[in-house]
Amino acid sequence: MSLKYITTREGSQVIDSSKAILNGLGDDGGLYLPTEIPEVSLADISDLVDASYQDKAKFVLKKFLNDFTDEEIDYCVSNAYNSNTFTDANITPLHVLNHKSAVLELYHGPTSAFKDVALQILPYLLTTSAKKNNDNRTYVILVATSGDTGKAALEGFKDVPDTKIMVFYPNNGVSLVQKLQMITQLGENVKVVAVDGNFDDTQTGVKKLFGDLDLISDLETKNHTFSSANSINWGRLVPQIVYYFASYCDLVKDGKITLGDRINFTVPTGNFGNILAGYYAKRMGLPVNRLICAANANDVLKDFINTGIYNRQRHFYKTVSPSMDILISSNLERLLFILSGGDKALISSLMSSLKSTGEYRVSDELLAKVQSVFSANSADDLDTIETIKRVFIDFDYLIDTHTAVAYKVYEKYLESTGDNSFNVIVSTASPYKFSGAVAEAIIDNYSDFSELDLLEEIHRVSGVHIPKGLYRLEKRTVRFDESITKDNMESSLRDYLGL
Ligand SMILES: *Cc1c(COP(=O)(O)O)cnc(C)c1O
């Protein structure tokens, strides 16, 4: 029971994992992480090869959430990963392309994006953490979303006891499919509202609500408290470590690799959460050779990994892989903390430099540590569409735009290094979720169709099933058609909570 949690910045306390999950972000602005990284032997991995995804999840979660009982972990895992929530019995199935590469499909959850893997279990981790700490308050989850996170959080928290969730999305900032997914959301404890403006307006509004002391004290009188479901919560990171183990085990089971062989993962990266989970898996003892970070035209991470300079002062591109249109990669802070040997003073100063000047630079020594594990490159929109088309023709296999960025970056890596270790391309969304760009790649007269009709058309051309969560969205009952100005976010929330 020695594993505890601290933050990446100065002045943090040492707490248990359940507290870290409840707190979300440290008081000092830092991110929580474990004081040590649990070790896993090859014999342990060998034992996992024939285990179910659920048992692999229990194995990994128990190592990190060591103040949870076995019963509590079992409860969280079995509610999150089952045949009601994921359409594939393997939860995160592996699609082998050839003797040297495979695609890890993380998009078989209810919203067809990889965020489901973490957001299906987070509500259970959160409510279990509250119970463990004798906290009987109702947790009110507030989310500002540019698309994928809002819907995945709604599906995760839908009808979970002792929680309520309210999602604000920008009226002009999400796709039609994403909007329909949210405004038709089912569940008794959910609320969705459109806000006039862009994503930044919406996010700024939500941050203001989180910090509104009057509102917080009114919540307390109702025995309610705020929480957030965003990707810096440790409860979102730890479930993602599982699928790195699961894919490795599947390759061993299929005879594609031998236990102990070192493999590469190429990960389409935005906030650095997914690839950081891969780094934790490697540090635990999973035989990983390199982690290849794939960026779109917003290539701030590629530049950082190649030069040691993180500079967010650059043009922001709206790309066909919008979930990676990010210039501040929050989870990188955790990696820098680990690689600097827990140098809190350094991390505090790097992050304050990022805030004040938009830039920081790490030492050559720290950069060398980053580069000993990570490689990075980028792919633009033209590359992305061309790659979807080529993979579809060569392998009769359809990938989404984010996965295509990873595929292209893997090809560049292979060409420049000749490293032919087995490579797993991490696939983060169903091709139907980004149907416009996918149709452009595989359907000649795609512009003759409306955004929604394209789904049927992609199905006709590819034969891939339309996920049930995206099927005939326009036929569902709209439950949330409220649209407000950003000045009315507080009154809308008060109205929902009866304050
Ligand atoms: C969120 C998201 C990403 C980026 O993941 P990070 O953990 O933020 O690096 C990539 N692809 C899709 C489809 C996503 O929704």
Side-chain angles (χ1 to χ4, degrees):
M1 290 293 282
S2 63
L3 188 138
K4 294 275 182 184
Y5 284 76
I6 51 170
T7 77
T8 49
R9 308 254 182 112
E10 286 171 307
S12 80
Q13 297 162 316
V14 180
I15 57 176
D16 282 328
S17 72
S18 60
K19 272 265 166 51
I21 290 171
L22 287 175
N23 292 355
L25 186 69
D27 289 339
D28 55 3
L31 310 192
Y32 286 104
L33 36 63
T35 48
E36 57 193 270
I37 300 178
E39 281 178 24
V40 166
S41 67
L42 277 187
D44 291 328
I45 298 171
S46 172
D47 287 344
L48 288 177
V49 168
D50 289 312
S52 65
Y53 186 90
Q54 290 79 356
D55 284 344
K56 292 183 183 97
K58 289 172 192 172
F59 175 84
V60 171
L61 294 188
K62 277 172 195 172
K63 297 243 171 234
F64 285 98
L65 310 182
N66 59 341
D67 58 323
F68 283 58
T69 65
D70 287 357
E71 292 70 29
E72 287 166 343
I73 298 268
D74 291 358
Y75 162 81
C76 295
V77 167
S78 57
N79 275 290
Y81 307 122
N82 57 59
S83 57
N84 293 323
T85 55
F86 283 77
T87 55
D88 194 288
N90 288 329
I91 309 296
T92 61
L94 199 62
H95 181 94
V96 174
L97 293 176
N98 58 31
H99 68 294
K100 280 293 173 202
S101 65
V103 179
L104 173 59
E105 298 179 350
L106 300 181
Y107 55 78
H108 295 283
T111 77
S112 306
F114 99 102
K115 294 192 171 59
D116 288 329
V117 180
L119 280 165
Q120 280 297 306
I121 195 164
L122 180 69
Y124 296 100
L125 296 175
L126 186 74
T127 50
T128 302
S129 296
K131 286 205 185 77
K132 298 178 68 57
N133 288 281
N134 296 318
D135 174 351
N136 66 357
R137 292 175 295 178
T138 294
Y139 273 77
V140 179
I141 313 298
L142 292 187
V143 183
T145 186
S146 57
D148 286 345
T149 304
K151 178 64 184 178
L154 285 163
E155 278 297 321
F157 281 93
K158 164 185 84 179
D159 294 329
V160 171
D162 305 320
T163 69
K164 292 181 181 169
I165 175 165
M166 183 157 187
V167 170
F168 296 96
Y169 71 91
N171 235 338
N172 324 319
V174 302
S175 75
L176 181 59
V177 169
Q178 286 173 323
K179 176 176 172 165
L180 285 171
Q181 275 189 299
M182 290 190 279
I183 65 179
T184 59
Q185 176 66 43
L186 300 175
E188 293 309 309
N189 62 339
V190 305
K191 171 93 181 167
V192 178
V193 179
V195 180
D196 292 339
N198 60 25
F199 175 64
D200 280 339
D201 298 326
T202 313
Q203 184 158 49
T204 306
V206 164
K207 282 192 179 151
K208 232 160 97 185
L209 295 176
F210 272 124
D212 184 331
L213 297 178
D214 286 338
L215 187 60
I216 291 169
S217 94
D218 288 350
L219 278 176
E220 274 170 15
T221 62
K222 271 199 82 132
N223 204 29
H224 282 24
T225 185
F226 279 143
S227 188
S228 126
N230 69 23
S231 76
I232 51 172
N233 193 310
W234 179 255
R236 270 190 65 177
L237 202 113
V238 69
Q240 298 180 354
I241 299 171
V242 178
Y243 49 71
Y244 286 91
F245 280 90
S247 59
Y248 189 91
C249 288
D250 287 348
L251 288 171
V252 172
K253 197 170 173 169
D254 290 356
K256 299 291 176 220
I257 58 171
T258 307
L259 186 68
D261 288 352
R262 279 148 57 95
I263 69 172
N264 296 335
F265 286 92
T266 307
V267 188
T269 305
N271 230 340
F272 212 75
N274 197 348
I275 199 167
L276 184 69
Y279 178 71
Y280 268 99
K282 176 176 166 67
R283 288 288 304 268
M284 290 172 78
L286 190 71
V288 175
N289 178 32
R290 295 195 71 77
L291 292 165
I292 302 159
C293 171
N296 63 24
N298 297 296
D299 52 2
V300 64
L301 281 168
K302 164 188 156 184
D303 289 348
F304 172 70
I305 290 170
N306 292 327
T307 66
I309 300 170
Y310 193 100
N311 185 350
R312 71 174 173 87
Q313 285 178 301
R314 56 177 70 210
H315 185 70
F316 177 83
Y317 295 94
K318 268 176 103 80
T319 73
V320 294
S321 45
S323 304
M324 293 152 63
D325 291 347
I326 284 178
L327 292 179
I328 302 185
S329 244
S330 328
N331 272 298
L332 187 61
E333 182 172 344
R334 284 188 167 112
L335 178 74
L336 296 174
F337 180 88
I338 301 168
L339 291 179
S340 66
D343 189 342
K344 292 175 169 231
L346 173 71
I347 303 303
S348 298
S349 94
L350 293 178
M351 293 307 136
S352 77
S353 156
L354 181 65
K355 204 167 174 182
S356 57
T357 69
E359 182 181 329
Y360 62 76
R361 174 189 211 127
V362 300
S363 68
D364 290 348
E365 190 194 346
L366 187 49
L367 178 61
K369 287 184 180 160
V370 172
Q371 292 178 342
S372 71
V373 179
F374 293 89
S375 300
N377 215 325
S378 64
D380 63 18
D381 280 358
L382 276 176
D383 282 339
T384 304
I385 306 268
E386 182 273 331
T387 303
I388 294 172
K389 180 175 186 163
R390 198 157 37 81
V391 170
F392 184 61
I393 293 170
D394 290 353
F395 297 101
D396 191 20
Y397 182 66
L398 194 59
I399 56 177
D400 95 296
T401 49
H402 304 77
T403 311
V405 168
Y407 195 95
K408 182 70 188 182
V409 165
Y410 165 61
E411 289 180 323
K412 290 183 180 179
Y413 172 82
L414 200 56
E415 202 180 336
S416 64
T417 63
D419 171 7
N420 69 347
S421 312
F422 199 101
N423 179 68
V424 172
I425 289 154
V426 176
S427 178
T428 50
S430 155
Y432 286 102
K433 196 130 198 202
F434 300 94
S435 53
V438 169
E440 187 177 339
I442 66 163
I443 296 169
D444 289 337
N445 59 336
Y446 68 92
S447 54
D448 296 347
F449 299 91
S450 73
E451 194 177 335
L452 293 172
D453 288 342
L454 278 176
L455 276 75
E456 298 280 356
E457 206 48 30
I458 293 171
H459 172 67
R460 201 180 57 73
V461 171
S462 70
V464 178
H465 283 297
I466 303 176
K468 73 172 190 287
L470 300 179
Y471 190 64
R472 301 238 161 113
L473 276 171
E474 69 279 15
K475 300 259 175 357
R476 300 194 189 167
T477 310
V478 173
R479 296 187 64 211
F480 304 101
D481 57 3
E482 190 179 333
S483 178
I484 60 172
T485 65
K486 58 187 183 205
D487 298 329
N488 284 321
M489 289 170 69
E490 181 183 344
S491 56
S492 176
L493 173 70
R494 283 182 177 274
D495 187 45
Y496 168 52
L497 297 176
L499 292 176

